[in-house]
Amino acid sequence: MQKPKGTYDVYGKYGENIQYLEKLLSALMEKYHYEFVRTPIFEASSLFHRGVGETTDIVSKETYDFKDRGNRDMTLRPEGTAGVVRSFIENKLYTRANMPVKTWYYGPMFRYERPQAGRFREFYQFGVEVFGSESAMMDAEVISIPVTFFRLLGLKGIKVKINSLGDKETRENYREALKKHFAPYLEDLCSDCRERFEKNPLRILDCKVDKEKECMVHAPKLSDYLSETAKAHFKEVQQYLDALNIEYEIDEHLVRGLDYYTYTVFEVEADIKDFGSNNVLCAGGRYNHLVENLDGPSTPGVGFALGYERILNAIEAEQIKLDNENQVDAYIIPLSEHEKTDAFQLTQTLRMNGFTVETDYLNRNLKGNFKQADRLNTKFVILIGENEMKDHIYTIKNNQTKEEYQIDQDYIVMFLDEKLEETVLEEEHSCCHGDHHCDGKNHCQCHHEHE
Ligand code: HAM
């Protein structure tokens, strides 16, 4: 049996890295005061047709559709926004007094794409969706989330690209201008672009194949069609980004592949040598009509999503070592059969006191157990033998320095607490030399220098 094409299994270091990302993202969302939400992995197919857009590649070519046993058309979600908007409307979150409603989510998404590096058929996204604020400050806050996250990870090679698609009217006028412009060049364009010409001419600008062509370079500029309101909003977004010291590039060709965007759109690219073509780490934008289009009350929205796989690729490409060493605080060794139950009990007691604890499950001999303790990267080994049981005094060995201690049963927790604290302080000192704020464990912006 083999896994389906375009999917992957998670285990070992990759799993630890994913957990690290999720912990960091969850802590970040607490600071930004966003609310966790979860929506179903499958929804009625019509949600994505109406939400993401009939003409988009995602909906027209890439959805996993199926009929359920009640003959209803269902689709595995290709992205998170449509489901979160559906949930916002269905659960009447728009009636809340404490607007804006700021949400975050993560989970698997499904797109039937051609699998390649950084492109999967089942992939994981973390995303945020914010409802009820038109403020440009909200756009800048949403853009600041991935940027802050990348800074915390220590990722240096990132490029933020922004653009404004303007309001509905801007898009309509611009669409007409593009049709007029490209009509005489249709023969020169690739087959995808010819299709886009009919369905969504804006997306011609997104084309990777035709991007160097004369007619592309001289295409009308979206910025010439922006309404005064849209221009002012876009200017404000830039001012707020400047206020947060976020560097960005304005990319007039950035139009995004989903239909729901209005005003600000953005992408963060990996700007790392030899990263490969799937270098968009995250993307998003404003969608002021989506709630209404899905039968909710008119409510502005803005959000973004990032793909785990690409973030982990970027971390690998920049050779960043995540601060998630999997260490065992204590490994408990019973010296004979008689102490097995006590060792098992002590394992549980210490776990309940907050330590990461392992013991022997394979009846290893003493040498084998010490070897296993080394393999598990253990800090302290606790030996339980006949004498230890009788006197309630335990032998505890520092597995790195090999120092040995005899500790009364009642003081084991206190002893480990103190000793582990000491090791953290030593690690802290060796990594940042006391130069700046760093607790040696958590993240700070000088992460790279710690390694
Ligand atoms: P998207 O650009 O389709 O936007 O996807 C966002 C991110 O998901 C991409 O930048 C990429 O990192 C990752 N991604 C997309 N497709 C794949 C794939 N096949 N394999 C691996 N990673 C992938 C959205 O999904 C919008 N819902 C974002 C948004 C939220 N806009 C507003 N709110």
Side-chain angles (χ1 to χ4, degrees):
M1 295 292 280
Q2 286 191 329
K3 61 187 179 305
K5 210 171 151 188
T7 67
Y8 61 94
D9 297 318
V10 171
Y11 50 87
K13 196 72 197 160
Y14 200 85
E16 283 171 24
N17 288 346
I18 285 179
Q19 283 189 305
Y20 181 85
L21 295 191
E22 286 182 345
K23 264 192 210 155
L24 191 53
L25 285 166
S26 157
L28 194 62
M29 286 298 87
E30 205 179 309
K31 301 282 177 267
Y32 273 87
H33 198 237
Y34 280 48
E35 150 183 0
F36 177 69
V37 295
R38 180 149 64 198
T39 62
I41 284 173
F42 60 90
E43 298 264 6
S45 303
S46 56
L47 172 69
F48 302 111
H49 286 265
R50 287 174 56 194
V52 179
E54 300 278 5
T55 64
T56 59
D57 284 353
I58 296 177
V59 167
S60 62
K61 299 183 190 155
E62 297 169 2
T63 49
Y64 278 86
D65 301 313
F66 63 98
K67 283 215 186 276
D68 72 6
R69 288 173 193 269
N71 213 27
R72 299 174 197 90
D73 288 314
M74 294 289 166
T75 296
L76 296 184
R77 62 182 183 198
E79 57 102 54
T81 313
V84 175
V85 172
R86 195 251 332 118
S87 160
F88 173 81
I89 300 168
E90 191 170 338
N91 297 299
K92 297 192 172 52
L93 301 192
Y94 51 80
T95 57
R96 283 187 181 172
N98 60 343
M99 284 286 173
V101 173
K102 307 197 288 183
T103 68
W104 70 278
Y105 55 89
Y106 65 89
M109 308 291 160
F110 305 86
R111 296 183 192 174
Y112 193 82
E113 298 196 81
R114 199 163 56 80
Q116 48 188 272
R119 194 174 286 282
F120 294 87
R121 289 183 173 169
E122 182 192 36
F123 59 98
Y124 268 72
Q125 276 188 350
F126 158 90
V128 312
E129 312 296 347
V130 177
F131 301 95
S133 167
E134 275 178 302
S135 166
M137 199 164 92
M138 208 68 252
D139 304 44
E141 174 169 305
V142 165
I143 296 172
S144 81
I145 293 172
V147 173
T148 308
F149 175 57
F150 297 147
R151 281 183 187 162
L152 291 172
L153 285 174
L155 262 183
K156 296 223 162 69
I158 61 159
K159 191 188 274 177
V160 181
K161 291 183 166 180
I162 59 171
N163 193 19
S164 174
L165 301 182
D167 44 31
K168 251 187 187 165
E169 204 185 312
T170 308
R171 281 184 73 151
E172 277 314 304
N173 292 341
Y174 188 53
R175 192 188 141 94
E176 286 316 307
L178 285 178
K179 286 202 90 161
K180 220 164 135 190
H181 171 79
F182 282 114
Y185 304 105
L186 276 187
E187 290 300 303
D188 289 350
L189 297 176
C190 71
S191 60
D192 274 349
C193 276
R194 287 201 291 274
E195 205 181 316
R196 288 173 185 142
F197 179 84
E198 295 303 329
K199 294 179 174 167
N200 190 353
L202 233 77
R203 294 224 42 230
I204 298 179
L205 301 175
D206 220 9
C207 183
K208 303 268 185 289
V209 184
D210 290 331
K211 70 175 179 202
E212 309 288 343
K213 291 197 174 137
E214 211 30 47
C215 61
M216 225 35 155
V217 180
H218 293 114
K221 287 190 161 182
L222 182 59
S223 54
D224 293 335
Y225 290 79
L226 285 184
S227 66
E228 287 310 313
T229 325
K231 272 187 199 157
H233 191 270
F234 194 41
K235 195 96 225 133
E236 262 193 86
V237 173
Q238 293 166 49
Q239 284 162 357
Y240 283 119
L241 289 175
D242 293 339
L244 297 185
N245 286 325
I246 294 175
E247 283 179 30
Y248 53 85
E249 222 173 68
I250 297 172
D251 179 355
E252 292 233 19
H253 282 193
L254 180 65
V255 292
R256 307 275 302 117
L258 299 92
D259 275 355
Y260 45 63
Y261 294 113
T262 50
Y263 292 88
T264 320
V265 285
F266 76 98
E267 286 183 356
V268 182
E269 278 183 10
D271 192 13
I272 307 169
K273 201 169 164 270
D274 300 329
F275 189 76
S277 57
N278 292 313
N279 64 345
V280 182
L281 301 180
C282 77
R286 187 163 267 291
Y287 45 84
N288 285 353
H289 304 290
L290 184 55
V291 177
E292 205 177 326
N293 290 346
L294 293 174
D295 305 331
S298 171
T299 311
V302 56
F304 87 96
L306 60 78
Y308 283 18
E309 299 78 8
R310 296 187 191 178
I311 309 298
L312 290 170
N313 284 352
I315 286 170
E316 203 181 310
E318 287 203 355
Q319 298 181 351
I320 293 172
K321 206 168 143 278
L322 296 180
D323 198 2
N324 62 346
E325 270 306 289
N326 182 0
Q327 284 204 319
V328 167
D329 294 327
Y331 184 95
I332 309 202
I333 306 180
L335 292 179
S336 78
E337 271 295 305
H338 304 292
E339 294 87 29
K340 258 178 101 168
T341 309
D342 293 282
F344 191 48
Q345 274 176 341
L346 183 63
T347 303
Q348 182 70 356
T349 305
L350 292 182
R351 282 174 181 161
M352 293 307 102
N353 276 283
F355 303 107
T356 304
V357 187
E358 271 286 8
T359 189
D360 174 34
Y361 306 94
L362 298 184
N363 294 324
R364 290 185 163 94
N365 61 21
L366 191 62
K367 200 169 152 207
N369 267 320
F370 268 107
K371 257 198 182 148
Q372 174 73 348
D374 286 343
R375 282 188 213 109
L376 298 179
N377 215 352
T378 300
K379 293 178 183 164
F380 289 92
V381 172
I382 304 181
L383 298 162
I384 307 188
E386 206 180 322
N387 291 342
E388 280 81 357
M389 291 309 307
K390 190 157 57 62
D391 307 333
H392 301 294
I393 305 278
Y394 291 70
T395 305
I396 303 187
K397 205 168 176 171
N398 182 321
N399 204 35
Q400 262 98 50
T401 63
K402 306 296 173 203
E403 271 170 287
E404 231 178 75
Y405 308 85
Q406 302 294 320
I407 305 295
D408 190 289
Q409 186 179 4
D410 292 343
Y411 295 104
I412 292 190
V413 168
M414 212 165 98
F415 171 86
L416 284 178
D417 253 340
E418 265 178 29
K419 287 289 168 195
L420 288 168
E421 175 100 336
E422 275 172 26
T423 29
V424 168
L425 288 175
E426 277 162 23
E427 279 166 17
E428 178 186 340
H429 209 69
S430 67
C431 74
C432 66
H433 313 290
D435 281 350
H436 37 238
H437 289 296
C438 163
D439 61 9
K441 243 184 179 176
N442 293 322
H443 332 282
C444 66
Q445 296 192 11
C446 55
H447 188 282
H448 251 160
E449 290 139 40
H450 291 178
E451 308 307 337

